[in-house]
Amino acid sequence: MNPTPTPVRPDTLAATVEALLARIDGPLRVATPLGIGKPHRLLNALYARVAADPGRAMQLYTALSLDPPQAGGDLQRRFLAPFAARQFGEDFPRLAYVEAMKRDALPAHIEVQEFYLQSGALLGSAQAQRRYASLNYTHVARALAERGANCLLQKVAANADGSRLSLSSNTDLTFDVVDAIAARGLPRPLLVAEIDPELPWLENGAVVDADFFDIVVAPPGPYPKLFALPRQPVNDAEYAIGLRASALVRDGGTLQIGIGALADALCHALVLRHTDNARYRAVLDALDPEIARHPAVIESGGLGPFDTGLYGCSEMINEGFRALVQNGVLRRKVVDDEALMRRIADGSASADDRARLEREGDFLHGAFYLGSDDFYAWLRGLGGDHARAIGMRRVSEVNELYGGRESLERVQRREARFFNTCMMATALGAAVSDALADGRVVSGVGGQYNFVAMAHALPDARSVLMLRALREVPGEDAVSSIVWNYGHTTIPRHLRDIYVSEYGIADLRGLCDEDCVLRMAAIADARFQALLLGCAREGRKLAAEASPPAGAAANTPQRLAAALAPFRADGTLPDYPLGSDFTPVEQRLVKALTWLKNNTATRGAKLRTVARALFAGQADSDAEREALRRMALEAPAGIGERISAKLVLLALRETGG
C-alpha cells in the first residue's frame, strides 16, 4: 500500500470501492474525518458493498457523523420537512451506518467506533454506546495507529486541473494519522480522496499534491449540499453568559471558542464590545453594575474595544469567527518565527518586522470547520489578506503545546482565553460536559480537556467553562446545573479555573474547597443555593454559619429577563445574532412551537392547553394566516388538523407571533 506516483482515478464510486477492496487484504480498518470532511456517498457505497459480504469484516473509526434532524409528531413534521429540504437539500445522503446504529442494526461483521457523537443523537443506541471510544482529540491519531488503520477516506477540494487537492475542512487528523502509523513501523494506509466542488478551497496549510492520495475520485453531479448547521436562537440566559464571558477577554490576546448558542452569544458580545462600546457597557451595567470591579475581569479581562485585536487559535472554526473577522475583532497576526514574535511582544520590533508580520502573518488557525450555508459562502469568497491569514492546521498543533514547537506557541498564544461549554458543574469545580451519570455519552470529550489543561500550562491563560445555571425540562420542575456531586465528570476539579453562568463569574483557580463552594453557590439559581450549601456542610466542606452570598437571592430568570428586556426590544440583543437559516415566519413558529412543546409535556398540561386552544377562534391577521399557511394548516381538514391549527394559533398569540 505504498503511494503511487500518479493516483488511480476511478470514474464512479462503485469502481472506487472495488479498487479499494483490491488493494487491501483481509479486514478493513477504515478511518474517516469528523464533520463535513466525511465523504458520505463514498462511505455509503463502501458500507453497502461490505454489508452484503459477511466474509469481509470492517471497522470504521470516525467522529461527529452528521445526520439531519428527523421529525417526531405531526406539528414537528409540518415545520421540519420543508425546512430540512431547504437546509440540507432533498438529495442529502444520510449515512447508512448511522441509520443502522440508531436501530442497533449494524451487521455483525461491521463495527463503528466514534470518539465524538452528534450531541444527544445516539443516547438510545446500544451499538454506538458500547463502541464509543473516549479519547482526547489529540490522542486519536495514536489510537488509530494502535488499531492498525489501513485506509483513510476523505472529502477534498481540487484546483482546476486536479493536480492539487485541499483537505479544506479537515486538516485535523489526516497528517497526524499518517505520521503516527509510520512511527509504529506499519505500512502507510491507503489514502482515498473524493473531490467535492461544494467544499471551499483553502490554501494555507491544507493543500497537498494529488499524489499524496492513492485513489482520487471525482463522482459526477449533482453534488449534495454541505451539511449546514442550523443557527439557533439565543435566549436571555445565554446572552447573559456570553456578555459576562466577553469581559474576561484581554485585548491583544488569543481566543478559542466552542460551538452553540453560548458561543454565538459570546461572539456577538465581543463584536458589540468592539463596534459599539458604549452600548456594550450599558448592557453590562444593566446585567451587573459591579462587573467592571470583578477581580477576574480586572486581572484577566477588560471592557474596552480591541485596539490590538485578537488571534484565533481554535480546533473548530465556526460562525462566530466569521463575525469576529468581519468586524475587525480578530486581526492580531502571528508568524512561525519565535525571535520575531518575541520582538513584537516586547516592543522591540523594527519596521521591517512589523511589515513582515502584516505581510505573512495569520490571525486565525483551526483544525476543522463547520457552520451554516452563509459561513461556507464566506469561506468560498475569501480573498486577499483574509484568505492568506486563515490557516488550517493539525489538531496536534492547535490543541496542545507539546508538538515540537512549544516555545514558539507560548509566545504566539499570549493571554489565551479558552471558552468551552459544559452541561453541569459541581460545587467543588469539576465539569460534566460529555456524558450522563449512567455512562451514556451525549457527545464526547473532543478538545475540551486539551484546552483546559493548556490554560494551566500557559502563565497568562485562563480556561472559562460556560454553563446555564438552570435546566428546564418540559413537564418537570427546573433542575440546577450546579450540583454537589455527579456520577460522571469530564474535567477533574483539580483543573478548576473560571466558571460563568447567567448569574455571574466564579474564579476558582487555586482556591480551597470552602471558597469554591461559596463562589459556585453565588452563580447558582437562588432556588438551589440552600440545598447546595447544605450538602457542603454535610460533607464537612463548609462552616455551619455560612450562608448564601450577598445578592445571590436575586439570581432568578425573572430578574435576568427584566434587565435585558430593553436590549432585546431595541435589537441590541437579537434572537439570532449571527444570522438565521429560518425565514421570518419560521422564526415566529420556532418560538410558538417551543412554547407549545413546553405546555403539552404532561397529560394535564396538554389537556389544559388543548382546552384553551379550542377557544382560539380563527386567524385574524396576515401574520397568523402566513404562519398557518407555512404549517399547511390554512385550510384544515378533519378534527385533527382543526385542533392542530388552533394549537398553533394559541402558541403564536402566547409568544407574540
Side-chain angles (χ1 to χ4, degrees):
M1 288 186 289
N2 293 320
T4 54
T6 302
V8 175
R9 293 182 179 267
D11 294 331
T12 65
L13 293 172
T16 304
V17 169
E18 295 307 320
L20 183 160
L21 295 175
R23 295 284 295 275
I24 299 176
D25 295 324
L28 296 168
R29 295 182 291 275
V30 180
T32 190
L34 59 75
I36 64 171
K38 208 184 308 298
H40 283 215
R41 293 191 293 172
L42 178 55
L43 281 167
N44 283 346
L46 178 62
Y47 178 83
R49 174 69 170 78
V50 174
D53 182 3
R56 194 68 185 261
M58 181 173 75
Q59 293 178 320
L60 180 65
Y61 310 116
T62 188
L64 195 57
S65 297
L66 296 167
D67 190 41
Q70 294 177 298
D74 178 64
L75 286 178
Q76 188 181 42
R77 177 187 57 78
R78 289 172 180 273
F79 178 83
L80 189 58
F83 172 76
R86 184 179 77 242
Q87 179 75 2
F88 304 105
E90 296 278 8
D91 58 349
F92 186 86
R94 291 181 181 271
L95 288 163
Y97 71 82
V98 172
E99 294 189 314
M101 280 197 298
K102 287 183 175 181
R103 306 190 314 273
D104 283 329
L106 285 174
H109 64 293
I110 295 179
E111 176 187 330
V112 178
Q113 288 189 22
E114 295 201 65
F115 71 88
Y116 197 95
L117 307 178
Q118 188 171 359
S119 184
L122 294 168
L123 281 169
S125 168
Q127 288 182 328
Q129 293 293 329
R130 286 166 50 202
R131 305 310 296 166
Y132 167 76
S134 185
L135 294 166
N136 282 347
Y137 205 166
T138 51
H139 296 166
V140 173
R142 181 185 68 194
L144 290 177
E146 291 169 349
R147 286 159 168 77
N150 55 19
C151 182
L152 191 152
L153 310 182
Q154 176 154 5
K155 185 182 287 188
V156 299
N159 67 349
D161 64 7
S163 62
R164 302 178 76 217
L165 304 175
S166 171
L167 274 59
S168 187
S169 61
N170 287 84
T171 53
D172 50 345
L173 287 171
T174 302
F175 301 126
D176 282 343
V177 168
V178 171
D179 289 351
I181 289 172
R184 290 182 67 85
L186 298 173
R188 186 177 188 265
L190 185 73
L191 301 182
V192 183
E194 178 189 318
I195 294 172
D196 186 350
E198 293 291 312
L199 201 62
W201 173 273
L202 295 185
E203 182 87 20
N204 186 351
V207 173
V208 297
D209 291 334
D211 61 10
F212 176 78
F213 288 91
D214 303 291
I215 301 174
V216 176
V217 60
Y223 298 96
K225 291 179 61 178
L226 298 178
F227 188 98
L229 286 177
R231 288 164 285 189
Q232 298 300 311
V234 175
N235 64 28
D236 289 339
E238 291 155 350
Y239 261 127
I241 294 167
L243 285 158
R244 293 181 190 277
S246 71
L248 296 168
V249 178
R250 175 115 341 136
D251 186 24
T254 303
L255 183 66
Q256 177 265 327
I257 55 174
I259 191 170
L262 294 182
D264 292 355
L266 169 61
C267 290
H268 180 72
L270 290 171
V271 169
L272 187 64
R273 173 177 159 179
H274 183 61
T275 60
D276 191 347
N277 194 252
R279 196 63 179 160
Y280 170 75
R281 289 173 183 263
V283 180
L284 277 181
D285 186 63
L287 184 66
D288 182 357
E290 297 298 314
I291 195 166
R293 289 175 285 280
H294 194 292
V297 174
I298 294 170
E299 180 183 350
S300 302
L303 304 183
F306 297 99
D307 296 329
T308 301
L310 304 177
Y311 156 58
C313 187
S314 187
E315 71 178 28
M316 178 179 179
I317 300 176
N318 58 31
E319 207 77 37
F321 281 109
R322 174 171 70 110
L324 295 174
V325 171
Q326 290 175 327
N327 288 280
V329 175
L330 217 64
R331 66 180 191 280
R332 180 174 76 83
K333 293 186 175 182
V334 302
V335 292
D336 289 347
D337 183 328
E338 184 178 344
L340 188 152
M341 291 306 303
R342 291 195 180 279
R343 292 195 297 274
I344 293 291
D346 66 22
S348 65
S350 66
D352 286 344
D353 286 336
R354 290 190 291 273
R356 181 186 165 200
L357 182 69
E358 183 59 30
R359 183 176 63 251
E360 300 178 11
D362 299 344
F363 53 63
L364 177 58
H365 287 153
F368 78 100
Y369 64 76
L370 184 62
S372 67
D373 286 331
D374 290 343
F375 174 73
Y376 300 142
W378 174 68
L379 289 177
R380 292 187 193 99
L382 285 175
D385 182 61
H386 284 181
R388 292 189 299 272
I390 297 176
M392 300 302 294
R393 297 290 183 265
R394 302 173 183 228
V395 76
S396 60
E397 294 181 25
V398 172
N399 282 34
E400 61 185 5
L401 296 170
Y402 313 122
R405 307 193 311 165
E406 181 176 347
S407 58
L408 168 65
E409 289 166 353
R410 282 181 175 274
V411 71
Q412 289 177 334
R413 298 175 190 181
R414 67 183 191 230
E415 294 284 358
R417 300 292 177 267
F418 302 110
F419 291 97
N420 291 283
T421 299
C422 60
M423 299 186 298
M424 287 172 277
T426 71
L428 294 175
V432 180
S433 306
D434 67 310
L436 304 179
D438 62 8
R440 284 181 298 152
V441 179
V442 177
S443 54
V445 178
Q448 185 171 116
Y449 182 93
N450 292 129
F451 290 117
V452 172
M454 199 189 324
H456 288 272
L458 291 169
D460 55 5
R462 303 304 301 264
S463 162
V464 183
L465 292 180
M466 304 182 291
L467 80 161
R468 302 161 184 84
L470 210 59
R471 299 198 313 280
E472 300 279 3
V473 181
E476 300 179 17
D477 293 334
V479 179
S480 177
S481 299
I482 299 174
V483 298
W484 175 244
N485 200 13
Y486 196 69
H488 168 81
T489 58
T490 311
I491 304 299
R493 69 189 184 103
H494 72 270
L495 290 179
R496 57 198 180 198
D497 198 348
I498 295 177
Y499 282 95
V500 177
S501 82
E502 59 265 43
Y503 300 125
I505 299 167
D507 187 350
L508 309 184
R509 182 179 280 195
L511 296 188
C512 64
D513 283 355
E514 183 173 43
D515 292 341
C516 284
V517 170
L518 291 172
R519 291 194 179 183
M520 290 300 283
I523 67 168
D525 188 276
R527 288 166 283 180
F528 301 98
Q529 291 163 6
L531 177 62
L532 204 62
L533 298 183
C535 291
R537 290 189 192 95
E538 290 180 11
R540 304 295 189 269
K541 293 295 184 180
L542 196 62
E545 65 273 13
S547 59
N555 290 0
T556 67
Q558 294 77 20
R559 193 207 69 80
L560 200 66
L564 296 182
F567 306 99
R568 301 305 300 262
D570 69 10
T572 302
L573 304 178
D575 288 342
Y576 296 86
L578 302 183
S580 178
D581 304 286
F582 300 112
T583 64
V585 66
E586 287 172 343
Q587 291 178 30
R588 302 199 305 274
L589 283 165
V590 166
K591 287 184 178 180
L593 295 176
T594 300
W595 180 91
L596 197 57
K597 178 181 178 181
N598 293 338
N599 285 272
T600 56
T602 65
R603 186 172 183 272
K606 185 173 184 178
L607 288 173
R608 289 190 295 272
T609 301
V610 170
R612 290 183 60 200
L614 293 177
F615 296 95
Q618 303 298 315
D620 56 14
S621 70
D622 289 342
E624 289 182 350
R625 284 186 285 272
E626 180 187 31
L628 290 179
R629 188 162 51 250
R630 168 59 181 80
M631 295 289 288
L633 289 170
E634 187 180 27
I639 189 168
E641 286 195 359
R642 286 197 292 273
I643 291 174
S644 291
K646 288 182 177 295
L647 284 168
V648 171
L649 275 178
L650 174 65
L652 286 166
R653 290 166 185 172
E654 288 290 329
T655 55

